[in-house]
Amino acid sequence: MSGAAVTKPSPFRKILIANRGEIALRVMRTARRLGYGVVAVYSDADAGALHVREADEAVCIGGALPAQSYLRIDAIIAAARQAGADAVHPGYGFLAENEDFAAACRDAGLVFIGPSPEAIEAMGNKAGAKAIMLKAGVPCVPGYQGEDQSDGEMLAQAQRIGFPVMIKAVAGGGGRGMRLVADAASFPDALRSARSEAQGAFGDPTVILERAIIEPRHIEIQVFGDRYGNAIHLGERDCSVQRRHQKLIEEAPSPAVSAELRAKMGEVAVAAVKALGYEGAGTLEFLLDQQGEFYFMEMNTRLQVEHPVTEAITGLDLVELQLRIAAGEPLPLQQQDVRFHGHAIEVRLCSEDATHDFMPQSGTMVRWQMPSELRVEHALRSGAEIPPYYDSMIAKIIAHGASRDEARRRLLHGLDTTIAFGVATNRAFLASCIRHPAFAAGEATTGFIAEHRAELFAAAPDDEVPASAVAALLWYLTDGHAARWRQGRSLAATFPVRLRLEIDGAPVDLAVHRERDGSYLVHSGERSVSFDLDVCDDGELRFRARGLSESAVFCREGDWLYVQRLGVTTTIRDLTRAAPARASAGGGDGRVRAAMNGRVVAVLVKAGDRVSAGQPVLTLEAMKMEHVHAAPISGIILAIDVAEGEQVSTGRIVAEIEAEPSRSEAAAPAA
């Protein structure tokens, strides 16, 4: 790609990247290689972000919430003028598929590095895109995309289609504004939630309905078109492993797509591109059922998050293709020139707690270390802050190999050596998915996580050297005791050291001894482990225990200690001198606490209302997703401590419930 001939002078010289994080850095990398200047934009929350530091110039465009910054067309156009940029790359998400933004760039004399506003409007709206594809003879999922959006009509159409049905935001993407509904009884609540999420994410509450195809493959075809009527496809990507309808693992090629099926799907995709007169990068997404039939879902009129796997197997730079096409050059290759080499798999590392329904997490990433042998797209460093206002994806890790199994093995090793301390991530869950026999065999569908949930979340088998013993030794060594010993204090005055630690949320009593030969002995329950230390410096520990020499990476941050060993991360907190926790801390006290940093988007009850345990009380939005908070007990709402639109922090009390007396208590006579 980098050697393609330039057919005419470029109409732009400086590119403003209307995005943040890893995609901003990704676009900068190629733009600079091709000789373009780069301008970053940022919100108040991103003032210290890496994409801001790496850009030639950077302009603040507003407040932390996307609506105050990254979704402000006027602010981005003004930033381009201020910096002297003459082109805009939208990345993905935010305004990347907004026809008004593309039109505003054109009206301002800026080159929009993407398709025309007309193409975005035609294909960015799910209902409109589906109508166009039906007219073109492309197979589509049966559904409803009518103008009548009333609750009654939507329910009637859902019943006509037949449950289960999918509700989808017409302007949506990334799983937002999407709900799978099993029956008519749950349809009204799901419709309200989907509309609310769609309005918040895209400014448009309109939805469509589709018949739910159970456990299909999610297959997408990468396409490019230029202004001269040329179009090609770059093969398919399999994006079937998802949670909340958002992709987690993507690979190319798909284990389920034969050469014949690839040619057929590619032919359909290219025909659609040519019919649209489409210019730039795009992706047609299909559902592939278990009988081998495929159905059009939507077209993404932008670069995809998962584009690196296509780059890996084709050797092409997709951002370079975007820039050359936007500069007026024809596509530098024809369909017969496209070659595929090996296999590539990408995982999305997200700041979320997979064990608690993938709840988004924010905070300080105290130690951040990515595998050096793999391609990693990220915009973090140790000490960086992860804000609660944006998508939870913080990195993409990509492995390429001569075969699928080689790529899978390389990716597993990379995940095991990825260090992300301070904010919970889905790293261990991703590794569990990659290891699973069904994924290894290439059999994963969109039902993979639901079908294998118990196995994917199963605890690691008990180790010969308990994690609690390693945790206790490291806590001791990082808590000042070792320093006092080195200063000459007697062993009798120092040992044994008795500890009570919270290890991955569970309290454990331990004791650390130092033997006369210099080794350490740790008692963990009824087990004792002897350790010989080689190194304990700069966050790395080398030790011998039970005949094996091992290493661990660790980080102490205040009252917290993080340890990663054999690909497993352990989080430790000291309870030795802590006050006993109240029995009600788990929510039995009737207080509803925010499960994450987020914004209150709906308060569903009011003071004085009677609620049942498990009844929704309010909804928070964090990292572009809605999360319902339910009553922990049955009772009467004493107080709602937040208002709609308010930003709250993790653990804040948002509602208080007074338990109703039991029947026996209510019937008891007064003393």
Side-chain angles (χ1 to χ4, degrees):
M1 266 308 307
S2 58
V6 177
T7 60
K8 60 182 291 186
S10 171
F12 52 89
R13 61 180 183 82
K14 185 187 290 188
I15 302 169
L16 181 141
I17 302 166
N19 220 292
R20 65 183 297 277
E22 59 88 17
I23 184 56
L25 289 173
R26 163 71 189 94
V27 174
M28 284 181 199
R29 189 166 68 241
T30 292
R32 280 193 169 131
R33 180 171 60 78
L34 296 179
Y36 295 109
V38 289
V39 180
V41 293
Y42 63 95
S43 69
D44 291 342
D46 277 340
L50 195 58
H51 77 278
V52 177
R53 296 188 178 198
E54 291 294 318
D56 300 329
E57 300 165 88
V59 182
C60 181
I61 53 172
L65 292 174
Q68 300 168 341
S69 50
Y70 297 107
L71 293 176
R72 283 186 59 198
I73 295 175
D74 60 335
I76 294 172
I77 299 295
R81 287 178 173 147
Q82 181 181 344
D86 42 13
V88 173
H89 193 300
Y92 41 69
F94 295 130
L95 294 169
E97 294 179 282
N98 186 303
E99 64 269 20
D100 293 335
F101 180 50
C105 289
R106 183 171 63 188
D107 293 344
L110 301 168
V111 175
F112 182 77
I113 301 171
S116 68
E118 292 77 18
I120 295 175
E121 183 177 17
M123 298 307 291
N125 180 289
K126 285 185 173 63
K130 193 170 180 182
I132 291 170
M133 290 297 163
L134 283 169
K135 187 176 180 180
V138 177
C140 295
V141 180
Y144 172 73
Q145 51 269 355
E147 293 183 5
D148 188 345
Q149 292 278 304
S150 65
D151 292 357
E153 178 64 14
M154 296 299 282
L155 178 58
Q157 290 293 339
Q159 291 172 322
R160 176 188 64 80
I161 295 166
F163 290 96
V165 298
M166 292 294 301
I167 303 173
K168 292 184 177 182
V170 296
R176 289 173 287 279
M178 184 183 293
R179 297 292 186 274
L180 173 62
V181 189
D183 51 49
S186 54
F187 185 83
D189 283 345
L191 181 63
R192 182 213 64 79
S193 179
R195 285 171 169 165
S196 173
E197 194 168 273
Q199 177 66 45
F202 313 110
D204 185 352
T206 310
V207 297
I208 65 171
L209 304 177
E210 289 182 351
R211 178 185 298 162
I213 298 177
I214 305 304
E215 296 191 8
R217 298 267 190 167
H218 185 137
I219 306 294
E220 60 188 31
I221 304 292
Q222 175 71 62
V223 293
F224 273 90
D226 64 24
R227 66 187 62 176
Y228 309 105
N230 304 307
I232 60 171
H233 74 84
L234 302 180
E236 83 283 357
R237 295 184 289 255
D238 193 317
C239 310
S240 299
V241 180
Q242 305 176 6
R243 54 94 176 89
R244 289 204 188 102
H245 310 296
Q246 289 184 304
K247 303 163 188 172
L248 278 184
I249 304 173
E250 300 102 347
E251 60 182 306
S254 167
V257 174
S258 65
E260 293 76 18
L261 182 56
R262 179 177 303 114
K264 185 177 179 181
M265 296 180 78
E267 183 180 349
V268 166
V270 168
V273 169
K274 289 184 175 180
L276 284 165
Y278 189 86
E279 181 178 339
T283 304
L284 278 81
E285 303 204 357
F286 298 91
L287 293 178
L288 178 65
D289 69 17
Q290 296 177 6
Q291 288 72 47
E293 299 296 325
F294 62 92
Y295 303 91
F296 172 80
M297 284 196 302
E298 62 184 358
M299 182 177 185
N300 291 306
T301 54
R302 53 166 168 81
L303 196 67
Q304 292 282 84
V305 173
E306 56 272 20
H307 75 273
V309 294
T310 298
E311 293 184 325
I313 67 166
T314 62
L316 301 171
D317 183 329
L318 271 57
V319 174
E320 180 178 346
L321 277 174
Q322 285 188 296
L323 298 183
R324 292 195 180 281
I325 291 169
E329 298 180 27
L331 275 166
L333 70 168
Q334 298 178 351
Q335 192 63 57
Q336 61 266 28
D337 301 321
V338 178
R339 296 286 185 270
F340 304 113
H341 307 282
H343 201 98
I345 309 176
E346 170 184 295
V347 293
R348 301 189 186 192
L349 187 69
C350 299
S351 55
E352 60 187 23
D353 187 347
T355 62
H356 289 82
D357 197 27
F358 302 98
M359 195 72 71
Q361 305 291 304
S362 55
T364 303
M365 188 65 74
V366 297
R367 180 164 180 177
W368 177 256
Q369 184 177 318
M370 292 292 100
S372 59
E373 69 277 9
L374 299 181
R375 175 176 174 178
V376 182
E377 301 286 351
H378 71 98
L380 287 179
R381 61 189 183 282
S382 296
E385 195 73 18
I386 298 176
Y389 313 106
Y390 314 117
D391 194 272
S392 63
M393 190 187 76
I394 54 176
K396 304 181 308 197
I397 304 174
I398 305 101
H400 180 243
S403 66
R404 184 175 187 270
D405 201 51
E406 180 183 328
R408 192 180 67 88
R409 290 195 310 270
R410 296 190 68 220
L411 185 55
L412 262 176
H413 182 263
L415 281 169
D416 284 347
T417 57
T418 293
I419 307 297
F421 292 158
V423 179
T425 74
N426 63 343
R427 183 193 62 83
F429 179 76
L430 291 171
S432 184
C433 290
I434 298 295
R435 284 192 183 94
H436 194 278
F439 183 86
E443 298 170 353
T445 69
T446 55
F448 171 75
I449 291 178
E451 182 180 351
H452 300 289
R453 191 176 187 87
E455 303 152 65
L456 295 173
F457 284 103
D462 196 20
D463 199 280
E464 275 293 305
V465 181
S468 58
V470 179
L473 179 58
L474 275 170
W475 188 272
Y476 161 74
L477 291 171
T478 60
D479 200 32
H481 295 286
R484 288 196 294 274
W485 174 76
R486 292 189 187 102
Q487 291 168 5
R489 298 199 174 190
S490 68
L491 293 179
T494 307
F495 297 100
V497 177
R498 302 194 182 278
L499 300 171
R500 183 171 178 78
L501 303 178
E502 180 185 86
I503 301 177
D504 291 336
V508 181
D509 293 306
L510 306 109
V512 178
H513 299 258
R514 186 172 175 87
E515 305 288 70
R516 294 193 175 277
D517 63 0
S519 64
Y520 290 92
L521 186 67
V522 179
H523 293 287
S524 173
E526 297 181 356
R527 302 173 71 177
S528 296
V529 183
S530 178
F531 292 91
D532 289 319
L533 296 181
D534 285 341
V535 180
C536 183
D537 191 25
D538 194 28
E540 295 189 10
L541 172 70
R542 190 80 186 171
F543 62 88
R544 289 185 298 276
R546 305 222 164 135
L548 289 175
S549 180
E550 294 185 27
S551 61
V553 178
F554 66 92
C555 181
R556 177 73 180 265
E557 182 74 9
D559 293 333
W560 295 91
L561 175 66
Y562 307 93
V563 185
Q564 189 160 311
R565 166 178 164 260
L566 301 176
V568 177
T569 300
T570 304
T571 303
I572 303 106
R573 184 167 68 96
D574 185 25
L575 300 179
T576 306
R577 295 176 291 276
R582 299 203 321 268
S584 62
D589 57 355
R591 294 175 175 175
V592 181
R593 295 170 172 85
M596 81 292 285
N597 294 346
R599 184 170 63 93
V600 180
V601 294
V603 177
L604 306 175
V605 295
K606 62 182 183 299
D609 284 356
R610 179 175 281 103
V611 295
S612 302
Q615 179 178 333
V617 172
L618 57 80
T619 303
L620 290 185
E621 181 187 65
M623 294 180 168
K624 300 187 185 179
M625 295 295 291
E626 286 194 353
H627 305 272
V628 175
H629 286 51
I633 61 172
S634 298
I636 305 297
I637 299 289
L638 281 180
I640 297 294
D641 300 310
V642 294
E644 287 189 10
E646 187 175 349
Q647 192 74 27
V648 299
S649 57
T650 304
R652 176 174 165 182
I653 296 172
V654 294
E656 300 171 61
I657 304 170
E658 181 180 46
E660 290 187 290
S662 65
R663 291 182 179 178
S664 59
E665 290 174 331

